Amino acid sequence: MSDEHKQMRIDAGLVRELAELLSANELSEIEVEDGDRKIRVRRELTVAAAPVQHLVAAAHQLAPAQAQAAPVDTATEAPVFTGDMVRSPMVGTCYLSAEPGAPPFVAVGDTVKEGDTLLIVEAMKVMNPISAPRGGRIVQLLVENAQPVEFDQPLVVIE
């Protein structure tokens, strides 16, 4: 039998161990090489999206001590917004002012016009202004300065 037609013998125990390592360490892929042999074990990870009420509740945690003080029932404690929610169009870092020490673009109670800058999201060293989709009054800021933000995370509520 020529080398082309040789089949690799698979060590089922090794594959099982690698699969257990994937699960135990929350990895998506692991590869092992031994001379000419190479074994790669891969699994598809599915990420369940957290309900919005949990994201909003997390944005309202002011201090770690308060978060640990007592369990919070987010189903009853989740705030109800009456205005339009402005969400982050990208993953990045949120800045409430143009530069350190400068006044914030907006504050709760301010009136804004459509197109006014509400805040900046920095992504990959690019500063992206987030503008008001419509005119109105700022009723809630859901982020803090220099806070990391996720795609579609609520940032500001305009009424």
Side-chain angles (χ1 to χ4, degrees):
M1 182 182 246
S2 68
D3 286 339
E4 289 177 20
H5 298 291
K6 283 186 184 176
Q7 291 186 347
M8 177 174 48
R9 283 181 248 193
I10 296 175
D11 181 352
L14 175 61
V15 173
R16 201 171 297 114
E17 282 183 52
L18 293 174
E20 287 172 9
L21 278 172
L22 283 176
S23 295
N25 294 298
E26 297 181 16
L27 300 172
S28 60
E29 184 174 319
I30 191 167
E31 185 174 311
V32 176
E33 287 187 51
D34 181 22
D36 292 338
R37 291 180 4 163
K38 182 192 266 188
I39 297 175
R40 179 183 314 167
V41 179
R42 193 168 93 180
R43 69 180 179 144
E44 293 293 320
L45 297 177
T46 57
V47 178
V52 173
Q53 65 187 20
H54 293 292
L55 294 174
V56 172
H60 282 85
Q61 292 176 349
L62 299 176
Q66 289 175 330
Q68 295 172 357
V72 176
D73 182 5
T74 56
T76 59
E77 300 273 335
V80 177
F81 301 113
T82 58
D84 291 332
M85 190 157 330
V86 178
R87 297 176 176 274
S88 180
M90 65 195 73
V91 174
T93 303
C94 175
Y95 294 104
L96 301 179
S97 60
E99 59 186 38
F105 292 108
V106 295
V108 173
D110 287 355
T111 300
V112 295
K113 299 181 302 231
E114 181 178 343
D116 284 354
T117 299
L118 302 173
L119 50 87
I120 293 173
V121 175
E122 177 190 5
M124 298 177 63
K125 307 282 184 200
V126 175
M127 300 296 181
N128 302 283
I130 307 302
S131 302
R134 67 172 183 87
R137 187 175 62 85
I138 304 296
V139 291
Q140 201 151 18
L141 286 172
L142 302 172
V143 291
E144 294 179 18
N145 193 48
Q147 175 183 331
V149 295
E150 296 293 325
F151 171 75
D152 206 36
Q153 178 177 336
L155 303 172
V156 179
V157 179
I158 300 176
E159 188 172 70

mmCIF file of all heavy atoms in Angstrom, residues 17-62:
data_model
loop_
_atom_site.group_PDB
_atom_site.id
_atom_site.type_symbol
_atom_site.label_atom_id
_atom_site.label_comp_id
_atom_site.label_asym_id
_atom_site.label_seq_id
_atom_site.Cartn_x
_atom_site.Cartn_y
_atom_site.Cartn_z
ATOM 1 N N GLU A 17 -10.854 13.305 24.873
ATOM 2 C CA GLU A 17 -10.166 14.201 25.817
ATOM 3 C C GLU A 17 -10.133 15.636 25.289
ATOM 4 O O GLU A 17 -10.359 16.589 26.040
ATOM 5 C CB GLU A 17 -8.728 13.730 26.053
ATOM 6 C CG GLU A 17 -8.589 12.569 26.996
ATOM 7 C CD GLU A 17 -7.134 12.218 27.214
ATOM 8 O OE1 GLU A 17 -6.341 13.119 27.550
ATOM 9 O OE2 GLU A 17 -6.798 11.030 27.044
ATOM 10 N N LEU A 18 -9.852 15.788 23.995
ATOM 11 C CA LEU A 18 -9.820 17.124 23.397
ATOM 12 C C LEU A 18 -11.199 17.774 23.447
ATOM 13 O O LEU A 18 -11.322 18.962 23.744
ATOM 14 C CB LEU A 18 -9.306 17.052 21.960
ATOM 15 C CG LEU A 18 -7.833 16.655 21.798
ATOM 16 C CD1 LEU A 18 -7.496 16.478 20.323
ATOM 17 C CD2 LEU A 18 -6.917 17.662 22.447
ATOM 18 N N ALA A 19 -12.230 16.988 23.198
ATOM 19 C CA ALA A 19 -13.591 17.519 23.254
ATOM 20 C C ALA A 19 -13.932 17.961 24.677
ATOM 21 O O ALA A 19 -14.558 19.001 24.880
ATOM 22 C CB ALA A 19 -14.590 16.471 22.763
ATOM 23 N N GLU A 20 -13.498 17.196 25.670
ATOM 24 C CA GLU A 20 -13.730 17.577 27.063
ATOM 25 C C GLU A 20 -12.977 18.860 27.403
ATOM 26 O O GLU A 20 -13.489 19.717 28.124
ATOM 27 C CB GLU A 20 -13.321 16.447 27.996
ATOM 28 C CG GLU A 20 -14.281 15.267 27.963
ATOM 29 C CD GLU A 20 -13.782 14.063 28.750
ATOM 30 O OE1 GLU A 20 -12.761 14.172 29.469
ATOM 31 O OE2 GLU A 20 -14.419 13.007 28.648
ATOM 32 N N LEU A 21 -11.745 19.010 26.892
ATOM 33 C CA LEU A 21 -10.982 20.239 27.107
ATOM 34 C C LEU A 21 -11.697 21.442 26.497
ATOM 35 O O LEU A 21 -11.718 22.526 27.081
ATOM 36 C CB LEU A 21 -9.581 20.125 26.483
ATOM 37 C CG LEU A 21 -8.520 19.410 27.301
ATOM 38 C CD1 LEU A 21 -7.261 19.219 26.465
ATOM 39 C CD2 LEU A 21 -8.215 20.192 28.560
ATOM 40 N N LEU A 22 -12.285 21.247 25.312
ATOM 41 C CA LEU A 22 -13.041 22.328 24.680
ATOM 42 C C LEU A 22 -14.159 22.804 25.592
ATOM 43 O O LEU A 22 -14.310 23.998 25.840
ATOM 44 C CB LEU A 22 -13.668 21.857 23.355
ATOM 45 C CG LEU A 22 -12.782 21.740 22.145
ATOM 46 C CD1 LEU A 22 -13.583 21.167 20.981
ATOM 47 C CD2 LEU A 22 -12.190 23.053 21.768
ATOM 48 N N SER A 23 -14.931 21.851 26.078
ATOM 49 C CA SER A 23 -16.074 22.205 26.928
ATOM 50 C C SER A 23 -15.623 22.811 28.244
ATOM 51 O O SER A 23 -16.152 23.828 28.682
ATOM 52 C CB SER A 23 -16.940 20.977 27.194
ATOM 53 O OG SER A 23 -17.513 20.543 25.999
ATOM 54 N N ALA A 24 -14.650 22.190 28.888
ATOM 55 C CA ALA A 24 -14.213 22.644 30.208
ATOM 56 C C ALA A 24 -13.621 24.049 30.166
ATOM 57 O O ALA A 24 -13.765 24.816 31.111
ATOM 58 C CB ALA A 24 -13.187 21.665 30.778
ATOM 59 N N ASN A 25 -12.965 24.398 29.065
ATOM 60 C CA ASN A 25 -12.309 25.703 28.965
ATOM 61 C C ASN A 25 -13.054 26.678 28.067
ATOM 62 O O ASN A 25 -12.536 27.740 27.725
ATOM 63 C CB ASN A 25 -10.872 25.521 28.459
ATOM 64 C CG ASN A 25 -10.032 24.770 29.461
ATOM 65 O OD1 ASN A 25 -9.836 25.211 30.569
ATOM 66 N ND2 ASN A 25 -9.563 23.589 29.072
ATOM 67 N N GLU A 26 -14.270 26.301 27.655
ATOM 68 C CA GLU A 26 -15.109 27.138 26.801
ATOM 69 C C GLU A 26 -14.363 27.596 25.543
ATOM 70 O O GLU A 26 -14.403 28.754 25.164
ATOM 71 C CB GLU A 26 -15.647 28.329 27.586
ATOM 72 C CG GLU A 26 -16.544 27.906 28.734
ATOM 73 C CD GLU A 26 -17.112 29.076 29.504
ATOM 74 O OE1 GLU A 26 -17.074 30.207 29.003
ATOM 75 O OE2 GLU A 26 -17.607 28.843 30.615
ATOM 76 N N LEU A 27 -13.672 26.649 24.912
ATOM 77 C CA LEU A 27 -12.952 26.923 23.668
ATOM 78 C C LEU A 27 -13.815 26.521 22.492
ATOM 79 O O LEU A 27 -14.728 25.708 22.612
ATOM 80 C CB LEU A 27 -11.641 26.133 23.631
ATOM 81 C CG LEU A 27 -10.633 26.413 24.748
ATOM 82 C CD1 LEU A 27 -9.484 25.424 24.673
ATOM 83 C CD2 LEU A 27 -10.114 27.833 24.640
ATOM 84 N N SER A 28 -13.516 27.090 21.322
ATOM 85 C CA SER A 28 -14.258 26.713 20.133
ATOM 86 C C SER A 28 -13.455 25.741 19.259
ATOM 87 O O SER A 28 -14.027 25.047 18.436
ATOM 88 C CB SER A 28 -14.635 27.949 19.315
ATOM 89 O OG SER A 28 -13.475 28.631 18.914
ATOM 90 N N GLU A 29 -12.145 25.686 19.460
ATOM 91 C CA GLU A 29 -11.318 24.832 18.617
ATOM 92 C C GLU A 29 -10.027 24.494 19.343
ATOM 93 O O GLU A 29 -9.487 25.313 20.094
ATOM 94 C CB GLU A 29 -10.985 25.570 17.316
ATOM 95 C CG GLU A 29 -10.215 24.763 16.310
ATOM 96 C CD GLU A 29 -10.062 25.513 14.987
ATOM 97 O OE1 GLU A 29 -11.030 26.154 14.545
ATOM 98 O OE2 GLU A 29 -8.961 25.434 14.423
ATOM 99 N N ILE A 30 -9.532 23.267 19.120
ATOM 100 C CA ILE A 30 -8.238 22.858 19.669
ATOM 101 C C ILE A 30 -7.568 21.966 18.631
ATOM 102 O O ILE A 30 -8.229 21.197 17.947
ATOM 103 C CB ILE A 30 -8.402 22.150 21.038
ATOM 104 C CG1 ILE A 30 -7.046 21.978 21.708
ATOM 105 C CG2 ILE A 30 -9.116 20.836 20.896
ATOM 106 C CD1 ILE A 30 -7.147 21.591 23.175
ATOM 107 N N GLU A 31 -6.249 22.105 18.490
ATOM 108 C CA GLU A 31 -5.501 21.345 17.489
ATOM 109 C C GLU A 31 -4.249 20.777 18.149
ATOM 110 O O GLU A 31 -3.571 21.464 18.907
ATOM 111 C CB GLU A 31 -5.113 22.267 16.345
ATOM 112 C CG GLU A 31 -4.443 21.570 15.190
ATOM 113 C CD GLU A 31 -4.225 22.522 14.017
ATOM 114 O OE1 GLU A 31 -5.169 23.216 13.622
ATOM 115 O OE2 GLU A 31 -3.076 22.548 13.534
ATOM 116 N N VAL A 32 -3.959 19.503 17.841
ATOM 117 C CA VAL A 32 -2.790 18.828 18.389
ATOM 118 C C VAL A 32 -2.003 18.231 17.227
ATOM 119 O O VAL A 32 -2.587 17.637 16.317
ATOM 120 C CB VAL A 32 -3.213 17.700 19.365
ATOM 121 C CG1 VAL A 32 -2.002 16.939 19.869
ATOM 122 C CG2 VAL A 32 -3.999 18.265 20.519
ATOM 123 N N GLU A 33 -0.663 18.408 17.259
ATOM 124 C CA GLU A 33 0.194 17.821 16.233
ATOM 125 C C GLU A 33 1.185 16.887 16.891
ATOM 126 O O GLU A 33 1.739 17.193 17.945
ATOM 127 C CB GLU A 33 0.967 18.918 15.482
ATOM 128 C CG GLU A 33 0.121 19.717 14.537
ATOM 129 C CD GLU A 33 0.956 20.668 13.696
ATOM 130 O OE1 GLU A 33 1.948 20.233 13.082
ATOM 131 O OE2 GLU A 33 0.594 21.862 13.671
ATOM 132 N N ASP A 34 1.410 15.748 16.246
ATOM 133 C CA ASP A 34 2.399 14.776 16.710
ATOM 134 C C ASP A 34 3.077 14.210 15.471
ATOM 135 O O ASP A 34 2.545 13.315 14.818
ATOM 136 C CB ASP A 34 1.699 13.674 17.513
ATOM 137 C CG ASP A 34 2.680 12.646 18.042
ATOM 138 O OD1 ASP A 34 3.883 12.958 18.158
ATOM 139 O OD2 ASP A 34 2.245 11.512 18.335
ATOM 140 N N GLY A 35 4.209 14.805 15.123
ATOM 141 C CA GLY A 35 4.890 14.393 13.898
ATOM 142 C C GLY A 35 4.048 14.748 12.690
ATOM 143 O O GLY A 35 3.703 15.900 12.484
ATOM 144 N N ASP A 36 3.698 13.733 11.887
ATOM 145 C CA ASP A 36 2.877 13.955 10.704
ATOM 146 C C ASP A 36 1.386 13.960 11.015
ATOM 147 O O ASP A 36 0.579 14.325 10.173
ATOM 148 C CB ASP A 36 3.159 12.875 9.652
ATOM 149 C CG ASP A 36 4.557 12.997 9.079
ATOM 150 O OD1 ASP A 36 5.125 14.105 9.164
ATOM 151 O OD2 ASP A 36 5.077 11.998 8.555
ATOM 152 N N ARG A 37 1.029 13.524 12.212
ATOM 153 C CA ARG A 37 -0.389 13.468 12.582
ATOM 154 C C ARG A 37 -0.846 14.814 13.123
ATOM 155 O O ARG A 37 -0.155 15.468 13.886
ATOM 156 C CB ARG A 37 -0.645 12.417 13.658
ATOM 157 C CG ARG A 37 -0.472 11.031 13.178
ATOM 158 C CD ARG A 37 -0.723 9.988 14.226
ATOM 159 N NE ARG A 37 -1.174 10.488 15.507
ATOM 160 C CZ ARG A 37 -1.751 9.744 16.430
ATOM 161 N NH1 ARG A 37 -1.943 8.474 16.211
ATOM 162 N NH2 ARG A 37 -2.131 10.258 17.581
ATOM 163 N N LYS A 38 -2.017 15.205 12.705
ATOM 164 C CA LYS A 38 -2.615 16.451 13.181
ATOM 165 C C LYS A 38 -4.097 16.190 13.424
ATOM 166 O O LYS A 38 -4.786 15.675 12.559
ATOM 167 C CB LYS A 38 -2.455 17.544 12.127
ATOM 168 C CG LYS A 38 -3.006 18.886 12.550
ATOM 169 C CD LYS A 38 -3.089 19.858 11.391
ATOM 170 C CE LYS A 38 -1.880 20.717 11.287
ATOM 171 N NZ LYS A 38 -2.022 21.796 10.292
ATOM 172 N N ILE A 39 -4.551 16.547 14.639
ATOM 173 C CA ILE A 39 -5.958 16.361 14.983
ATOM 174 C C ILE A 39 -6.515 17.715 15.413
ATOM 175 O O ILE A 39 -5.945 18.388 16.266
ATOM 176 C CB ILE A 39 -6.138 15.353 16.131
ATOM 177 C CG1 ILE A 39 -5.640 13.985 15.708
ATOM 178 C CG2 ILE A 39 -7.605 15.277 16.548
ATOM 179 C CD1 ILE A 39 -5.670 12.956 16.813
ATOM 180 N N ARG A 40 -7.617 18.089 14.791
ATOM 181 C CA ARG A 40 -8.292 19.332 15.145
ATOM 182 C C ARG A 40 -9.725 18.988 15.529
ATOM 183 O O ARG A 40 -10.427 18.308 14.793
ATOM 184 C CB ARG A 40 -8.310 20.304 13.971
ATOM 185 C CG ARG A 40 -9.034 21.603 14.338
ATOM 186 C CD ARG A 40 -9.156 22.561 13.203
ATOM 187 N NE ARG A 40 -7.894 22.695 12.505
ATOM 188 C CZ ARG A 40 -7.746 23.275 11.318
ATOM 189 N NH1 ARG A 40 -8.788 23.785 10.715
ATOM 190 N NH2 ARG A 40 -6.576 23.357 10.744
ATOM 191 N N VAL A 41 -10.134 19.461 16.709
ATOM 192 C CA VAL A 41 -11.501 19.266 17.178
ATOM 193 C C VAL A 41 -12.106 20.656 17.303
ATOM 194 O O VAL A 41 -11.518 21.553 17.899
ATOM 195 C CB VAL A 41 -11.534 18.534 18.543
ATOM 196 C CG1 VAL A 41 -12.963 18.364 19.026
ATOM 197 C CG2 VAL A 41 -10.827 17.194 18.439
ATOM 198 N N ARG A 42 -13.280 20.802 16.715
ATOM 199 C CA ARG A 42 -13.919 22.117 16.687
ATOM 200 C C ARG A 42 -15.395 21.967 17.014
ATOM 201 O O ARG A 42 -16.009 20.968 16.679
ATOM 202 C CB ARG A 42 -13.754 22.700 15.283
ATOM 203 C CG ARG A 42 -14.087 24.150 15.189
ATOM 204 C CD ARG A 42 -13.632 24.686 13.889
ATOM 205 N NE ARG A 42 -14.751 24.604 12.959
ATOM 206 C CZ ARG A 42 -14.695 24.989 11.708
ATOM 207 N NH1 ARG A 42 -13.574 25.432 11.203
ATOM 208 N NH2 ARG A 42 -15.745 24.918 10.943
ATOM 209 N N ARG A 43 -15.930 23.001 17.673
ATOM 210 C CA ARG A 43 -17.361 22.997 17.952
ATOM 211 C C ARG A 43 -17.918 24.378 17.667
ATOM 212 O O ARG A 43 -17.217 25.379 17.770
ATOM 213 C CB ARG A 43 -17.664 22.574 19.379
ATOM 214 C CG ARG A 43 -17.220 23.578 20.416
ATOM 215 C CD ARG A 43 -17.537 23.103 21.814
ATOM 216 N NE ARG A 43 -17.080 24.088 22.774
ATOM 217 C CZ ARG A 43 -17.689 24.388 23.881
ATOM 218 N NH1 ARG A 43 -18.786 23.755 24.208
ATOM 219 N NH2 ARG A 43 -17.219 25.288 24.686
ATOM 220 N N GLU A 44 -19.171 24.403 17.307
ATOM 221 C CA GLU A 44 -19.854 25.666 17.055
ATOM 222 C C GLU A 44 -20.404 26.177 18.379
ATOM 223 O O GLU A 44 -21.059 25.446 19.107
ATOM 224 C CB GLU A 44 -21.011 25.470 16.070
ATOM 225 C CG GLU A 44 -20.562 25.101 14.676
ATOM 226 C CD GLU A 44 -19.808 26.205 13.978
ATOM 227 O OE1 GLU A 44 -20.200 27.376 14.105
ATOM 228 O OE2 GLU A 44 -18.818 25.897 13.302
ATOM 229 N N LEU A 45 -20.102 27.411 18.681
ATOM 230 C CA LEU A 45 -20.629 28.021 19.896
ATOM 231 C C LEU A 45 -21.839 28.847 19.532
ATOM 232 O O LEU A 45 -21.820 29.607 18.577
ATOM 233 C CB LEU A 45 -19.574 28.924 20.544
ATOM 234 C CG LEU A 45 -18.314 28.237 21.016
ATOM 235 C CD1 LEU A 45 -17.342 29.263 21.568
ATOM 236 C CD2 LEU A 45 -18.628 27.203 22.073
ATOM 237 N N THR A 46 -22.885 28.698 20.304
ATOM 238 C CA THR A 46 -24.060 29.536 20.107
ATOM 239 C C THR A 46 -24.164 30.456 21.307
ATOM 240 O O THR A 46 -24.022 30.033 22.442
ATOM 241 C CB THR A 46 -25.344 28.700 19.964
ATOM 242 O OG1 THR A 46 -25.482 27.887 21.123
ATOM 243 C CG2 THR A 46 -25.308 27.835 18.729
ATOM 244 N N VAL A 47 -24.391 31.719 21.027
ATOM 245 C CA VAL A 47 -24.492 32.714 22.084
ATOM 246 C C VAL A 47 -25.940 33.170 22.143
ATOM 247 O O VAL A 47 -26.477 33.669 21.165
ATOM 248 C CB VAL A 47 -23.565 33.910 21.796
ATOM 249 C CG1 VAL A 47 -23.706 34.961 22.879
ATOM 250 C CG2 VAL A 47 -22.130 33.441 21.674
ATOM 251 N N ALA A 48 -26.542 32.986 23.280
ATOM 252 C CA ALA A 48 -27.918 33.438 23.460
ATOM 253 C C ALA A 48 -27.901 34.916 23.803
ATOM 254 O O ALA A 48 -27.149 35.356 24.659
ATOM 255 C CB ALA A 48 -28.592 32.642 24.575
ATOM 256 N N ALA A 49 -28.695 35.684 23.115
ATOM 257 C CA ALA A 49 -28.767 37.120 23.379
ATOM 258 C C ALA A 49 -29.484 37.355 24.699
ATOM 259 O O ALA A 49 -30.516 36.759 24.970
ATOM 260 C CB ALA A 49 -29.516 37.822 22.253
ATOM 261 N N ALA A 50 -28.899 38.218 25.504
ATOM 262 C CA ALA A 50 -29.519 38.560 26.789
ATOM 263 C C ALA A 50 -30.725 39.448 26.538
ATOM 264 O O ALA A 50 -30.694 40.309 25.665
ATOM 265 C CB ALA A 50 -28.517 39.285 27.670
ATOM 266 N N PRO A 51 -31.787 39.250 27.294
ATOM 267 C CA PRO A 51 -32.933 40.138 27.130
ATOM 268 C C PRO A 51 -32.533 41.578 27.419
ATOM 269 O O PRO A 51 -31.683 41.833 28.252
ATOM 270 C CB PRO A 51 -33.930 39.635 28.185
ATOM 271 C CG PRO A 51 -33.503 38.248 28.511
ATOM 272 C CD PRO A 51 -32.022 38.215 28.267
ATOM 273 N N VAL A 52 -33.158 42.504 26.731
ATOM 274 C CA VAL A 52 -32.825 43.919 26.852
ATOM 275 C C VAL A 52 -32.962 44.391 28.291
ATOM 276 O O VAL A 52 -32.168 45.183 28.760
ATOM 277 C CB VAL A 52 -33.703 44.768 25.912
ATOM 278 C CG1 VAL A 52 -33.494 46.254 26.150
ATOM 279 C CG2 VAL A 52 -33.398 44.421 24.470
ATOM 280 N N GLN A 53 -33.935 43.873 29.029
ATOM 281 C CA GLN A 53 -34.119 44.342 30.395
ATOM 282 C C GLN A 53 -32.876 44.086 31.232
ATOM 283 O O GLN A 53 -32.557 44.870 32.115
ATOM 284 C CB GLN A 53 -35.335 43.707 31.034
ATOM 285 C CG GLN A 53 -35.221 42.196 31.220
ATOM 286 C CD GLN A 53 -36.514 41.591 31.704
ATOM 287 O OE1 GLN A 53 -37.563 42.182 31.569
ATOM 288 N NE2 GLN A 53 -36.447 40.404 32.256
ATOM 289 N N HIS A 54 -32.131 43.007 30.962
ATOM 290 C CA HIS A 54 -30.906 42.754 31.712
ATOM 291 C C HIS A 54 -29.828 43.752 31.328
ATOM 292 O O HIS A 54 -29.056 44.192 32.161
ATOM 293 C CB HIS A 54 -30.405 41.333 31.477
ATOM 294 C CG HIS A 54 -31.332 40.302 32.046
ATOM 295 N ND1 HIS A 54 -31.525 40.133 33.400
ATOM 296 C CD2 HIS A 54 -32.147 39.414 31.446
ATOM 297 C CE1 HIS A 54 -32.394 39.174 33.604
ATOM 298 N NE2 HIS A 54 -32.793 38.723 32.437
ATOM 299 N N LEU A 55 -29.736 44.129 30.053
ATOM 300 C CA LEU A 55 -28.753 45.116 29.623
ATOM 301 C C LEU A 55 -29.046 46.466 30.261
ATOM 302 O O LEU A 55 -28.150 47.153 30.730
ATOM 303 C CB LEU A 55 -28.759 45.254 28.097
ATOM 304 C CG LEU A 55 -28.305 44.035 27.316
ATOM 305 C CD1 LEU A 55 -28.504 44.266 25.829
ATOM 306 C CD2 LEU A 55 -26.862 43.727 27.609
ATOM 307 N N VAL A 56 -30.297 46.837 30.299
ATOM 308 C CA VAL A 56 -30.672 48.118 30.894
ATOM 309 C C VAL A 56 -30.405 48.086 32.388
ATOM 310 O O VAL A 56 -29.881 49.029 32.958
ATOM 311 C CB VAL A 56 -32.150 48.441 30.588
ATOM 312 C CG1 VAL A 56 -32.606 49.663 31.347
ATOM 313 C CG2 VAL A 56 -32.331 48.640 29.093
ATOM 314 N N ALA A 57 -30.731 46.983 33.032
ATOM 315 C CA ALA A 57 -30.482 46.874 34.470
ATOM 316 C C ALA A 57 -28.988 46.973 34.743
ATOM 317 O O ALA A 57 -28.568 47.627 35.694
ATOM 318 C CB ALA A 57 -31.048 45.562 35.006
ATOM 319 N N ALA A 58 -28.152 46.348 33.905
ATOM 320 C CA ALA A 58 -26.707 46.422 34.093
ATOM 321 C C ALA A 58 -26.205 47.840 33.918
ATOM 322 O O ALA A 58 -25.292 48.277 34.614
ATOM 323 C CB ALA A 58 -26.002 45.491 33.106
ATOM 324 N N ALA A 59 -26.807 48.590 33.025
ATOM 325 C CA ALA A 59 -26.382 49.962 32.799
ATOM 326 C C ALA A 59 -26.710 50.846 33.991
ATOM 327 O O ALA A 59 -26.101 51.894 34.173
ATOM 328 C CB ALA A 59 -27.046 50.522 31.542
ATOM 329 N N HIS A 60 -27.662 50.423 34.815
ATOM 330 C CA HIS A 60 -28.067 51.238 35.957
ATOM 331 C C HIS A 60 -27.308 50.907 37.236
ATOM 332 O O HIS A 60 -27.518 51.545 38.247
ATOM 333 C CB HIS A 60 -29.572 51.085 36.198
ATOM 334 C CG HIS A 60 -30.366 51.885 35.242
ATOM 335 N ND1 HIS A 60 -30.695 51.418 34.000
ATOM 336 C CD2 HIS A 60 -30.863 53.129 35.330
ATOM 337 C CE1 HIS A 60 -31.379 52.337 33.366
ATOM 338 N NE2 HIS A 60 -31.501 53.380 34.149
ATOM 339 N N GLN A 61 -26.465 49.910 37.215
ATOM 340 C CA GLN A 61 -25.711 49.583 38.417
ATOM 341 C C GLN A 61 -24.681 50.674 38.640
ATOM 342 O O GLN A 61 -23.778 50.866 37.836
ATOM 343 C CB GLN A 61 -25.028 48.232 38.266
ATOM 344 C CG GLN A 61 -26.033 47.094 38.235
ATOM 345 C CD GLN A 61 -25.370 45.768 38.000
ATOM 346 O OE1 GLN A 61 -24.199 45.701 37.669
ATOM 347 N NE2 GLN A 61 -26.118 44.704 38.174
ATOM 348 N N LEU A 62 -24.813 51.378 39.734
ATOM 349 C CA LEU A 62 -23.965 52.533 39.981
ATOM 350 C C LEU A 62 -22.676 52.167 40.686
ATOM 351 O O LEU A 62 -21.638 52.755 40.424
ATOM 352 C CB LEU A 62 -24.731 53.570 40.812
ATOM 353 C CG LEU A 62 -25.987 54.109 40.147
ATOM 354 C CD1 LEU A 62 -26.707 55.049 41.083
ATOM 355 C CD2 LEU A 62 -25.639 54.817 38.854
#
